[in-house]
Amino acid sequence: MSSDDRSQPTLWDSDAADGVSPWKPAAGRSDDTTARAQNLHPPKAEGLVEQMLAKANLQKALQRVERNGGAPGIDGMTAKELRSFLHANWARIAERLTRGTYKPQPTRRVEIPKASGGKRALGVPTVLDRFIQQAMLQVLTPIFDPDFSEMSFGFRPRRSAHMAVEQARAFISDGYGVVVDIDLDSFFDRVNHDALMSKVYRRVGDEAMLKLVRAYLNAGVMVQGLKVSTTEGTPQGGPLSPLLANIMLDDLDKELERRSHHFVRYADDISIYVRSERAGERVFEGVSSFIERRLKLKVNRAKSAVALATKRGLLGFFFFRRNGEVKVRIDPKARRALKDRIRRLTSRSWGISTTRRIAILNRFIRGWCAYFALADTPSVFAELDEWLRHRLRQVTWKQWKRLRTKMRMLQRHGIPRQKAWEWANTRKGTWRISGSAVLQRALPNAYWSGAGLVGFVESYGRIRKVWRTA
């Protein structure tokens, strides 16, 4: 890229044209894994840093980072501040990237709770490094993704968790009713850098790009103000990490294909479907040996299992049989997590207006249902609606506070004076009152619909209808 290109201010203008993608669209994938396996020595990609620094690619990366937002890294810069920073500093940064001398900043260590208990460590890169990683990702994905396995669904273009669940459902329907559920112990923290770089080197011949990938692996993390070096692992939190994880596990996918296994992989979640528990035990030992000896990773045998496919969850879902068909239901752990979130959003101590609370609830419910509408259990969504309205009646009763207010509001909502007086004076707890006939009569389902509450059933129905007619 010329110096004129690096310094041109319109590169960061919000109305700049996206231009033409610097790479050709990836060819359609073939289901013929044998043909892909025969391509053992594809040509290495060159000139990748130049493609990364192309205007169209950078503009696309910037828009993606701004749209995603996210927390700032160790320098405190936000996504909203990135564009103006690039206006002033991009020429210097681009020169270092071209020469292979750019040094990423350490990530900021944060911990988030895991659904299974404990905490997951994340590394939050600076917004500048997120931008550069996104630009790298857009160039590297077309190189690696077309050769990934058809059974790899995590963090890939035109792939989703729903597709993984549907594929698993198909395997179970075909008679592969036992699952070998393999859990990799702290996968993102244990990836061997040399092993990963050797896999990247198979397809990438651009020395500056290889140096940049290695630099991000070795960037380190800031823990309580001190930089801790990283000699292994791909820190979760940056755009590049999921691609590197798929590159690392692609050899496992190829080995499973070579052994003609029926499997589904979503990032580090690996499920292999077989016909019997005896076959499952044999597959578990063989695959675990490959993972630990060839990939230098560790299998968590305490969390891994060979079991009936209907007894193990997959990406927030469980399988069950009804009238000879394999159906999908929501993982009980996902339902518990949902209720915990709803409890926080309907906390009686959170002093916000009902209108504002319902708007927040609607946004959350729509997003939750967009994922879990895959479940074939509409009754569960009806139960969640009933429980949610129970919570909202409890909040409303708490907001009325004083005896006179309760009595007046009950009468306003159609409760006779004597009955309103009795319930306004009751000593029963708020949860019991919120489930009582009198409060359900005063604040019926139609009241909440009129207040704008979307609810689970309505969201579920809309999404399923779109899927049916798509």
Side-chain angles (χ1 to χ4, degrees):
M1 187 176 69
S2 68
S3 59
D4 291 340
D5 285 345
R6 287 197 298 268
S7 60
Q8 188 163 345
T10 55
L11 179 61
W12 312 119
D13 290 346
S14 57
D15 58 350
D18 287 346
V20 179
S21 174
W23 58 80
K24 295 180 180 179
R29 293 186 192 83
S30 169
D31 290 330
D32 187 357
T33 57
T34 303
R36 288 190 288 109
Q38 291 174 349
N39 188 21
L40 298 177
H41 302 289
K44 293 184 179 181
E46 300 285 353
L48 297 184
V49 170
E50 287 76 8
Q51 292 184 32
M52 182 186 77
L53 297 177
K55 290 182 183 179
N57 188 57
L58 293 173
Q59 186 69 31
K60 182 178 178 181
L62 178 59
Q63 292 170 352
R64 182 64 178 267
V65 171
E66 289 179 328
R67 184 168 63 250
N68 289 346
I74 62 172
D75 61 356
M77 186 191 302
T78 66
K80 292 181 179 180
E81 299 170 319
L82 177 59
R83 191 177 291 267
S84 60
F85 175 83
L86 293 174
H87 264 299
N89 299 280
W90 181 245
R92 171 177 51 84
I93 296 169
E95 184 177 359
R96 292 178 181 176
L97 290 168
T98 302
R99 292 180 177 178
T101 59
Y102 178 80
K103 300 295 183 184
Q105 296 189 67
T107 60
R108 180 170 62 87
R109 172 64 56 86
V110 297
E111 293 183 335
I112 60 173
K114 297 169 64 174
S116 58
K119 294 186 176 181
R120 184 188 305 277
L122 297 181
V124 180
T126 65
V127 67
L128 172 62
D129 283 325
R130 291 207 297 272
F131 163 68
I132 296 173
Q133 285 191 39
Q134 181 63 38
M136 294 169 64
L137 177 69
Q138 293 166 182
V139 170
L140 293 174
T141 295
I143 296 171
F144 288 97
D145 190 80
D147 288 330
F148 285 157
S149 169
E150 291 292 317
M151 296 298 109
S152 170
F153 296 92
F155 307 106
R156 297 179 59 192
R158 299 173 297 280
R159 297 270 163 155
S160 69
H162 284 180
M163 295 172 68
V165 175
E166 291 290 7
Q167 182 63 68
R169 189 210 302 247
F171 287 148
I172 299 169
S173 298
D174 289 342
Y176 298 89
V178 174
V179 62
V180 181
D181 190 354
I182 298 179
D183 183 273
L184 299 181
D185 188 23
S186 303
F187 167 71
F188 285 93
D189 297 327
R190 291 182 179 273
V191 172
N192 182 284
H193 288 179
D194 291 335
L196 174 57
M197 288 304 302
S198 70
K199 300 178 192 309
V200 176
Y201 182 74
R202 295 174 188 170
R203 301 300 305 273
V204 174
D206 188 313
E207 184 176 350
M209 179 62 77
L210 290 170
K211 285 183 178 180
L212 190 55
V213 173
R214 173 71 83 165
Y216 275 111
L217 291 175
N218 295 337
V221 296
M222 293 295 291
V223 181
Q224 296 180 347
L226 298 176
K227 180 180 177 180
V228 178
S229 61
T230 49
T231 57
E232 62 179 8
T234 59
Q236 299 180 75
L240 196 58
S241 182
L243 175 64
L244 296 179
N246 280 330
I247 292 172
M248 187 66 194
L249 292 175
D250 186 54
D251 281 358
L252 173 61
D253 296 339
K254 298 298 193 296
E255 179 66 15
L256 295 176
E257 289 177 348
R258 189 185 67 80
R259 299 184 187 188
S260 300
H261 286 316
H262 298 78
F263 72 98
V264 166
R265 184 176 67 79
Y266 191 93
D268 59 335
D269 290 326
I270 306 160
S271 299
I272 307 169
Y273 295 88
V274 296
R275 294 187 182 274
S276 68
E277 291 194 25
R278 182 177 180 181
E281 295 291 349
R282 185 172 64 251
V283 168
F284 176 76
E285 291 302 327
V287 173
S288 296
S289 176
F290 178 86
I291 291 172
E292 293 178 341
R293 293 182 181 180
R294 291 282 299 276
L295 302 184
K296 308 302 180 185
L297 298 170
K298 184 174 177 59
V299 174
N300 187 331
R301 295 177 182 267
K303 292 185 178 181
S304 301
V306 177
L308 292 176
T310 54
K311 301 295 183 182
R312 300 289 291 188
L314 176 65
L315 301 174
F317 296 97
F318 264 70
F319 301 99
F320 68 100
R321 294 184 182 273
R322 178 191 292 164
N323 300 327
E325 292 186 30
V326 178
K327 301 288 187 179
V328 176
R329 64 184 176 91
I330 301 171
D331 187 332
K333 290 188 291 186
R335 290 177 63 181
R336 287 194 294 270
L338 164 71
K339 287 194 169 184
D340 287 342
R341 180 67 181 274
I342 294 292
R343 286 188 183 98
R344 292 194 293 272
L345 295 178
T346 57
S347 172
R348 290 172 291 166
S349 61
W350 190 18
I352 64 172
S353 68
T354 299
T355 301
R356 176 62 177 157
R357 192 188 300 269
I358 287 178
I360 294 172
L361 282 168
N362 284 344
R363 185 164 58 249
F364 171 69
I365 290 170
R366 288 191 183 102
W368 191 87
C369 287
Y371 184 77
F372 286 102
L374 187 66
D376 302 309
T377 52
S379 61
V380 170
F381 293 82
E383 292 171 6
L384 290 172
D385 265 342
E386 183 179 348
W387 178 80
L388 173 60
R389 289 190 292 265
H390 197 157
R391 292 284 307 179
L392 289 172
R393 291 187 185 105
Q394 182 185 39
V395 172
T396 303
W397 185 256
K398 176 72 173 179
Q399 289 176 339
W400 288 348
K401 293 184 180 180
R402 299 173 61 186
L403 186 152
R404 288 184 180 180
T405 304
K406 292 175 181 177
M407 185 174 175
R408 184 176 70 254
M409 296 303 294
L410 286 172
Q411 287 183 271
R412 180 180 296 178
H413 288 87
I415 305 301
R417 178 181 175 84
Q418 180 62 30
K419 202 69 174 175
W421 184 85
E422 291 176 5
W423 280 93
N425 282 278
T426 184
R427 293 180 179 273
K428 295 177 180 179
T430 56
W431 183 249
R432 185 174 177 183
I433 295 169
S434 62
S436 66
V438 67
L439 206 58
Q440 290 188 46
R441 177 183 170 187
L443 303 174
N445 296 355
Y447 170 84
W448 298 109
S449 297
L453 182 67
V454 173
F456 291 92
V457 170
E458 183 178 347
S459 295
Y460 175 77
R462 286 179 179 176
I463 295 167
R464 296 283 288 203
K465 182 179 179 180
V466 170
W467 290 351
R468 285 195 300 270
T469 59

